Amino acid sequence: MTTTVPEGLDPTIQTRQIVFEADVSLVTPFLKLATVSRGGGGHMTFASDEGPSLGGLGSAPTPLMYFSAALAF
């Protein structure tokens, strides 16, 4: 019986290179849309805005909220 090890768990792989590309467009001075892709395949679009106390509209999570969530994952 042959067992196939998924690439992400293969202990013989010594290095990895993961490249993300981001294209960001400015909607207002603080509201931005970022489209992020990995290796040219698939993409996700994120909106980011600051709160009214900083001059934004408060219409989307702040950049620091995204950063904090990324650390938690």
Side-chain angles (χ1 to χ4, degrees):
M1 180 170 156
T2 303
T3 304
T4 304
V5 178
E7 181 184 352
L9 300 175
D10 187 347
T12 63
I13 295 176
Q14 298 293 313
T15 62
R16 297 185 191 284
Q17 181 177 356
I18 301 172
V19 178
F20 289 93
E21 293 182 13
D23 180 35
V24 179
S25 57
L26 188 66
V27 178
T28 69
F30 293 100
L31 176 60
K32 297 172 181 72
L33 295 177
T35 300
V36 181
S37 64
R38 179 178 171 194
H43 66 276
M44 279 289 195
T45 300
F46 302 89
S48 180
D49 194 7
E50 292 291 353
S53 64
L54 294 175
L57 303 172
S59 63
T62 65
L64 189 54
M65 288 178 177
Y66 281 114
F67 180 72
S68 301
L71 292 176
F73 288 128

